Amino acid sequence: MRATPWRTFWIVSGTLVLALLLTLLPLPNWMEALRPAWVELVLIYWAMFMPASVGLFAGFIFGLIVDIALGSLLGQHALGLSLVTYIVLKNHQKLRIYPLIQQGVIIMFILMIEQVLYLWIHGISNQASGNAFVYFIPAVTSMILWPWLFVLMRDIRRRFLPTPTQLF
């Protein structure tokens, strides 16, 4: 089994679409603020481990798809996911060597930067909620979820996208 560009495209896109579906999954009102940043986490994983295949364009396109799916201000998530992807791409070699717990903490801070951007956009467009701390809860739940998502995504990558050294 060889990892062709089309195979890579379909695996990466499929996992991002699954993350989008998890983002759209209805939750009770009290749990809505606890929803992890699924698309961001999956995009961070692929940008960390396949930086040549997943770049700013992927972040921008899936950001637009999230904007359309959520009915949010067009370009808001595109800008946020592009920013997250850029930060991860610039630091992917450093991020990969950290233990999972430390990666989770760093990812929490990256997602908090994204949430500050969303808070700023909502403030400019008069859509901000009264409590600004609600914007940062998804970053914390994403940090808690990161080790398990990392293991799952690593298994998907190893099973469906083997490297040349894994072929023998």
Side-chain angles (χ1 to χ4, degrees):
M1 172 176 21
R2 252 187 71 199
T4 63
W6 282 108
R7 183 178 185 86
T8 302
F9 172 79
W10 286 113
I11 297 298
V12 170
S13 298
T15 55
L16 283 166
V17 167
L18 184 62
L20 177 63
L21 291 175
L22 287 171
T23 300
L24 297 174
L25 188 71
L27 292 175
N29 288 338
W30 64 272
M31 280 188 66
E32 194 63 40
L34 298 173
R35 182 187 307 270
W38 292 106
V39 176
E40 287 88 340
L41 287 174
V42 172
L43 192 64
I44 286 170
Y45 178 83
W46 289 122
M48 269 176 48
F49 289 96
M50 297 185 72
S53 300
V54 178
L56 289 175
F57 184 72
F60 184 78
I61 293 300
F62 270 92
L64 285 177
I65 292 170
V66 170
D67 284 331
I68 292 168
L70 294 178
S72 60
L73 192 63
L74 193 63
Q76 167 185 327
H77 288 94
L79 180 61
L81 283 175
S82 296
L83 176 67
V84 166
T85 306
Y86 176 77
I87 292 170
V88 171
L89 286 173
K90 289 304 266 186
N91 299 299
H92 76 277
Q93 291 177 335
K94 295 175 192 171
L95 284 171
R96 289 170 66 161
I97 62 172
Y98 292 132
L100 285 179
I101 302 299
Q102 196 170 358
Q103 282 180 8
V105 172
I106 293 168
I107 287 169
M108 178 187 69
F109 285 116
I110 292 171
L111 293 176
M112 282 186 174
I113 293 169
E114 180 192 31
Q115 295 302 326
V116 167
L117 176 69
Y118 293 159
L119 182 62
W120 179 67
I121 290 171
H122 288 164
I124 288 175
S125 61
N126 289 329
Q127 297 175 352
S129 65
N131 190 357
F133 290 110
V134 173
Y135 284 88
F136 301 110
I137 295 172
V140 175
T141 58
S142 297
M143 175 193 67
I144 294 168
L145 184 70
W146 174 251
W148 289 280
L149 184 75
F150 176 89
V151 170
L152 177 68
M153 294 296 293
R154 183 187 61 196
D155 290 345
I156 290 172
R157 180 176 54 92
R158 287 180 177 173
R159 178 170 295 190
F160 297 109
L161 300 172
T163 62
T165 58
Q166 290 175 327
L167 294 176
F168 300 106

